[in-house]
Structures are given as C-alpha cells and as structure tokens.
Amino acid sequence: ALSLSKGSVMELGAGGGSTPYLKKYCVEHGMQLNSYDSNPDWAKRCNATFVQDWDTADIWQPCGLLFVDHAPGEHRKVAIERMMDRADIIVVHDTEHGGAGDYGFEPVFAHFKYRLNYNKIGGGAGATAVSNKVDLNVFRGQNLGGYIFDND
C-alpha cells in the first residue's frame, strides 16, 4: 500500500513492528509520518503523539495512507468511516476471521470501491486494505509470506 501512496502517512496505534517500518519507509521515500497512540507508554516508546480521546483529537487530516491499529479496537471502524474520503488508502490490522475481535468492519468496508484482504482466514493476524481512490487489484493473487492477497 505504501508503494501506491502519495502524500503523508498516518498511523493510528504505534507499535514495535509497524512504527519503525513506517518511519524507515517514509524517510527513504521523502514522506511525512504522523503516528498517534492513546497509550502514553506506547506513544513515548515510539515517539508518537499521545491522543487522550480519539473522538476529540485534532488529527483527522487528509493523507495518502492511513494505517489503523489503535485501541480500543472497537473504535477502528469509527476512524475508518471518518477517514474514508480523506485517505487515499486505508490499511486495517486485525481483520482476520475469528482473530483479535469482531470489530464490525464488514458494513464499513462495503462503502469502498476497492478491497484487498491478507490472511483473512489463515492463522495469525490479517489485514485489509480499502480505497475509493486507488485500485488495489495490482496485488491481487500475489504471495507475501505464506498467504495470497485476497485468496487465502
């Protein structure tokens, strides 16, 4: 998704896996990264901006890529709805069936023109990319690790 993105990157939910990778990619490609977390320890650890309340935070700006992995997981669909016309591509973590939780993504994902799943039914964490602006089908059928995009 990063390779298809133009503009800034916004990360909701900083972490030891995503944040360093996003920082490295953004530095190498001249992209701005804005990382946010509602847990003060994670915000400090990842040098992210601390967010007291997702609903009142003044962070909802247009971006090329939005990465959604914040707590509480139930707020993720709210963030996706809020950003669906502001982000070119939205990547959502923990979308696998029977995984981290049923966060009610399906009704929200139905509003997007393009959708690509990764590890939707396999073991481990899955992710889904959605967009109304960027055709994600260039990755359909490709392998990454042990899974095939949108066909696992």
Side-chain angles (χ1 to χ4, degrees):
L2 285 167
S3 68
L4 297 175
S5 299
K6 294 179 175 72
S8 64
V9 175
M10 181 187 298
E11 177 187 36
L12 304 181
S18 61
T19 306
Y21 179 81
L22 291 172
K23 283 182 182 180
K24 183 177 188 291
Y25 188 94
C26 287
V27 166
E28 290 174 354
H29 293 87
M31 300 167 78
Q32 180 182 347
L33 172 64
N34 299 302
S35 186
Y36 304 95
D37 205 290
S38 60
N39 179 309
D41 294 330
W42 275 110
K44 183 176 181 180
R45 187 181 310 172
C46 297
N47 198 26
T49 301
F50 174 68
V51 172
Q52 180 75 38
D53 179 353
W54 293 111
D55 292 322
T56 60
D58 187 23
I59 62 170
W60 308 103
Q61 305 299 320
C63 61
L65 176 76
L66 171 66
F67 181 65
V68 179
D69 189 21
H70 64 295
E74 293 77 15
H75 189 271
R76 295 177 189 186
K77 66 182 173 216
V78 175
I80 296 164
E81 287 175 327
R82 181 173 280 165
M83 292 295 290
M84 76 172 38
D85 294 322
R86 295 179 184 168
D88 294 342
I89 300 172
I90 300 174
V91 176
V92 186
H93 193 251
D94 298 324
T95 59
E96 71 280 359
H97 289 233
D102 180 7
Y103 297 136
F105 293 131
E106 293 303 322
V108 177
F109 288 164
H111 295 281
F112 288 90
K113 183 176 180 179
Y114 303 105
R115 174 180 176 172
L116 196 63
N117 298 306
Y118 177 76
N119 192 23
K120 184 175 181 180
I121 58 174
T128 299
V130 290
S131 179
N132 282 322
K133 300 176 183 180
V134 178
D135 186 351
L136 303 169
N137 288 307
V138 296
F139 296 114
R140 189 171 306 281
Q142 292 186 17
N143 288 352
L144 178 64
Y147 304 101
I148 299 172
F149 284 102
D150 217 69
N151 194 23
D152 58 302

